Amino acid sequence: MQKAIIFRLTRVIEEYGLRTNNATLTGEAIPARKMADASLQSGLSELDRPNLIFAGTSIASGTWRAVVAATGMSTQFGRIAHLTQSIAEEPTPFQKELNQLSKVTAWIALGIGAFVVVIGYFSLNFPVKEVTLLALGIVVAVIPEGLTATLTLSLAAAVQRLAKRGVLAKKLSTVEKLGQVSVICTDKSGTLTQNQMTVRDIWVAQKRIKVTGVGYEPVGNFSPDPNGQAWEKDLLCLLEVASCCNNSRINHPSIEHPGWTSLGDQTEAALKVAAMKEGFLKKRSIAFCRVYMKFRLTHAASA
């Protein structure tokens, strides 16, 4: 087997140059080396064992053969999903303070209402019904019923301001937590970046050629334009090597993945995309069709 996306926990029994992309589990962008040798060292977790391939990861390079060791919720990916679903979300400090404020306000309102009942009934000789209605009205007026709605609208307005600056907040409570953050520590690859490599410069025949475009979308230009240049054949030869000596695969946009994606080693994917920008793969396909049609016509004529 070669390039694939793993949906089960598997145990490697045979491999050659096998490397896996464990970014979905560990966040590490560099492919991890996998071996078929038995892991006898004690104290290692499943993630540290070099002879296991985990669900949710992909094969970056190499050939391999493995047996299934676990499926579904028994895999590391399934355990992570179970943890995310079973852990209850604790109230934020803002919500705790709001609940405390509501309790204090309610007790104050009840105290004022009781004071009004006592004064109105015993001192002012108001009827019980009128005093009770007056006390209830004061209690309702003192309790800030619209406080929750007002704070929710304030957080929603803050989310809109963040959206204008390119920050997407899934929950309103995120705005409160973001206001309490002073330092953010995060992994760069795949978090702040798209975790995609791109060929930007090519050096061939003592010429430096700049390549435009970002990511795995095969759209870009070469500067200077190689068409008609003396070094055009050298560039095409280099792109042919980059495309043929390559085990990666470029996937077209789909419903699940709106953008261009790759399967395999990221460096090889970047080299293949560079060849696709020049249209080399398309030219090679046209040339193959011409040779095939010529062969069919020659075969038909000889028959």
Side-chain angles (χ1 to χ4, degrees):
M1 298 179 64
Q2 289 186 344
K3 307 302 174 186
I5 298 178
I6 309 302
F7 296 97
R8 302 173 177 87
L9 174 65
T10 57
R11 163 72 165 84
V12 180
I13 59 176
E14 182 181 344
E15 58 83 23
Y16 179 78
L18 178 60
R19 296 181 183 274
T20 61
N21 185 0
N22 298 337
T24 54
L25 287 179
T26 62
E28 181 60 45
I30 301 176
R33 182 72 171 90
K34 296 296 179 179
M35 297 178 294
D37 299 336
S39 180
L40 302 178
Q41 184 177 354
S42 60
L44 289 180
S45 63
E46 287 188 352
L47 290 175
D48 296 328
R49 296 192 180 277
N51 57 356
L52 294 179
I53 305 178
F54 304 98
T57 62
S58 60
I59 304 300
S61 61
T63 58
W64 56 286
R65 188 185 301 274
V67 295
V68 176
T71 60
M73 299 302 290
S74 299
T75 63
Q76 287 291 338
F77 204 77
R79 294 173 187 173
I80 294 175
H82 177 70
L83 287 175
T84 57
Q85 296 173 1
S86 59
I87 297 178
E89 184 178 0
E90 296 183 358
T92 62
F94 180 76
Q95 293 174 340
K96 293 180 180 178
E97 293 179 2
L98 183 60
N99 294 334
Q100 184 67 22
L101 177 62
S102 300
K103 292 179 180 178
V104 173
T105 306
W107 282 110
I108 293 175
L110 291 175
I112 294 175
F115 179 76
V116 169
V117 169
V118 172
I119 297 299
Y121 182 75
F122 292 101
S123 298
L124 301 178
N125 296 322
F126 284 171
V128 176
K129 182 178 181 181
E130 293 182 4
V131 171
T132 304
L133 292 176
L134 179 61
L136 290 176
I138 294 175
V139 170
V140 172
V142 172
I143 295 177
E145 298 178 350
L147 179 61
T148 304
T150 303
L151 295 176
T152 302
L153 292 176
S154 301
L155 293 176
V159 170
Q160 289 182 347
R161 290 196 297 269
L162 289 175
K164 293 180 180 179
R165 299 195 176 190
V167 179
L168 180 60
K170 297 176 62 177
K171 298 180 180 179
L172 295 179
S173 59
T174 306
V175 180
E176 175 207 348
K177 296 177 181 178
L178 185 62
Q180 298 175 344
V181 172
S182 57
V183 178
I184 297 177
C185 300
T186 179
D187 182 28
K188 176 180 68 65
S189 301
T191 306
L192 299 179
T193 65
Q194 295 182 356
N195 198 20
Q196 296 180 354
M197 297 186 66
T198 306
V199 175
R200 304 301 299 270
D201 294 274
I202 297 177
W203 183 267
V204 60
Q206 299 183 353
K207 292 288 183 179
R208 183 178 180 179
I209 307 167
K210 290 189 173 295
V211 185
T212 61
V214 179
Y216 296 140
E217 184 178 3
V219 176
N221 299 318
F222 289 75
S223 179
D225 189 358
N227 293 325
Q229 300 289 343
W231 43 267
E232 180 182 6
K233 293 184 178 179
D234 297 327
L235 176 62
L236 292 177
C237 182
L238 177 62
L239 294 178
E240 181 179 5
V241 173
S243 177
C244 295
C245 299
N246 200 307
N247 290 325
S248 65
R249 186 173 67 190
I250 307 301
N251 300 323
H252 292 261
S254 61
I255 298 177
E256 294 81 6
H257 302 283
W260 289 79
T261 58
S262 71
L263 191 61
D265 185 76
Q266 297 174 346
T267 303
E268 293 185 354
L271 295 175
K272 179 165 288 188
V273 170
M276 295 171 67
K277 290 179 180 178
E278 174 60 20
F280 174 77
L281 296 180
K282 183 177 180 181
K283 294 177 183 178
R284 188 175 65 177
S285 300
I286 295 175
F288 174 77
C289 292
R290 289 177 178 175
V291 172
Y292 179 74
M293 291 300 297
K294 184 177 180 180
F295 171 77
R296 290 293 300 271
L297 292 174
T298 303
H299 181 73
S302 62

